Amino acid sequence: QKEVEQNSGPLSVPEGAIASLNCTYSDRGSQSFFWYRQYSGKSPELIMFIYSNGDKEDGRFTAQLNKASQYVSLLIRDSQPSDSATYLCAVLGYTGGFKTIFGAGTRLFVKA
Amino acid sequence: EAGVAQSPRYKIIEKRQSVAFWCNPISGHATLYWYQQILGQGPKLLIQFQNNGVVDDSQLPKDRFSAERLKGVDSTLKIQPAKLEDSAVYLCASSLIQGTRGNEQFFGPGTRLTVL
């Protein structure tokens, strides 16, 4: 059973701080990694994807991937109250076809 | 570019009734996904289509759920008969291709189903 694990939170950070969201996965053959943001009552929206070990930066967001440790993280710099949402980690692997597994998500609350 | 369209947005039915959901993916996207998301959980894949062929339906309760994607574009998901535990948001998503690259999924607004 392939799994993607996330701390459910809530993770609470003050406005302007760095929020760090973590995700571990069990399938060592996983190929691609995604972070989605989901506001309450809304559908997930893609914010970052990463394929290779290391860091990938996009504005205030940085995704970090360590395949050896089977670990992917999302850093949000200068957190804003509008960043308050659930962040879903998704992992793409290949088992008889390309399959994406989502974690349960981490709730982030940014205090003004 | 238009996003993924879904209808209806909300549906309330009684148990043992049937219901159908419709999805129109982003134009040109070959891969279409149906997910079930129960409150507080991540999306759970029900079925994945590549064009009009099924790639993965291992988590689809086939005794009551069915799905089709005619002509490789629109898709419908049906539940018959519905159970109380089917109450959830049903999300449709599409991606350009199926592979290690270009697999970013774009979600529709979802259909919130309540089974009474």
Side-chain angles (χ1 to χ4, degrees), chain A residues 31-32 34 36 38 41 43-44 46 49 51-52 88 92 96-100 102-104, chain B residues 35 37 40-43 48 56 91 98-109 112:
Chain A
Q31 307 273 349
S32 308
F34 307 87
Y36 290 82
Q38 187 171 28
S43 59
L46 179 70
F49 57 88
Y51 303 135
S52 305
L88 299 166
L92 175 71
F98 291 101
K99 299 179 182 179
T100 303
F102 281 80
Chain B
Y35 291 92
Q37 188 174 27
Q41 299 182 18
Q48 177 179 336
D56 181 9
L91 296 165
Q98 181 194 190
T100 57
R101 301 292 185 266
N103 199 283
E104 300 82 51
Q105 296 182 32
F106 297 88
F107 285 82
R112 183 175 299 276

Side-chain angles (χ1 to χ4, degrees), chain A residues 30-76:
Chain A
S30 296
Q31 307 273 349
S32 308
F33 308 85
F34 307 87
W35 284 100
Y36 290 82
R37 177 176 61 200
Q38 187 171 28
Y39 291 113
S40 180
K42 302 294 185 182
S43 59
E45 58 176 323
L46 179 70
I47 53 173
M48 290 284 292
F49 57 88
I50 186 167
Y51 303 135
S52 305
N53 277 329
D55 295 0
K56 179 182 178 182
E57 187 175 317
D58 183 0
R60 296 187 296 112
F61 299 97
T62 298
Q64 300 175 318
L65 175 61
N66 183 325
K67 288 187 177 180
S69 299
Q70 295 176 237
Y71 176 91
V72 59
S73 65
L74 179 70
L75 301 178
I76 307 174

Side-chain angles (χ1 to χ4, degrees), chain B residues 19 29 50 64 76 80 91 94 101 115:
Chain B
V19 64
H29 279 199
Q50 176 72 12
R64 298 185 301 107
T76 56
Q80 182 179 12
L91 296 165
S94 68
R101 301 292 185 266
V115 182

Side-chain angles (χ1 to χ4, degrees), chain A residues 98, chain B residues 3-6 21-35 45-57 67-77 91-98 102-108:
Chain A
F98 291 101
Chain B
V4 177
Q6 286 188 251
F21 312 126
W22 173 83
C23 174
N24 181 249
I26 292 173
S27 178
H29 279 199
T31 310
L32 185 147
Y33 313 79
W34 282 103
Y35 291 92
L45 180 69
L46 293 175
I47 190 167
Q48 177 179 336
F49 292 95
Q50 176 72 12
N51 295 310
N52 61 349
V54 176
V55 173
D56 181 9
D57 63 357
E68 60 181 6
R69 189 182 185 195
L70 299 177
K71 301 180 181 178
V73 182
D74 293 7
S75 178
T76 56
L77 175 70
L91 296 165
C92 179
S94 68
S95 64
L96 186 61
I97 60 172
Q98 181 194 190
N103 199 283
E104 300 82 51
Q105 296 182 32
F106 297 88
F107 285 82

Side-chain angles (χ1 to χ4, degrees), chain A residues 11-21 60-61 74-81 83 87 108-112:
Chain A
L11 173 66
S12 184
V13 300
E15 183 175 0
I18 296 174
S20 178
L21 305 163
R60 296 187 296 112
F61 299 97
L74 179 70
L75 301 178
I76 307 174
R77 291 182 300 282
D78 188 24
S79 295
Q80 301 297 310
D83 295 325
Y87 289 80
L108 172 66
F109 179 61
V110 181
K111 298 175 293 185

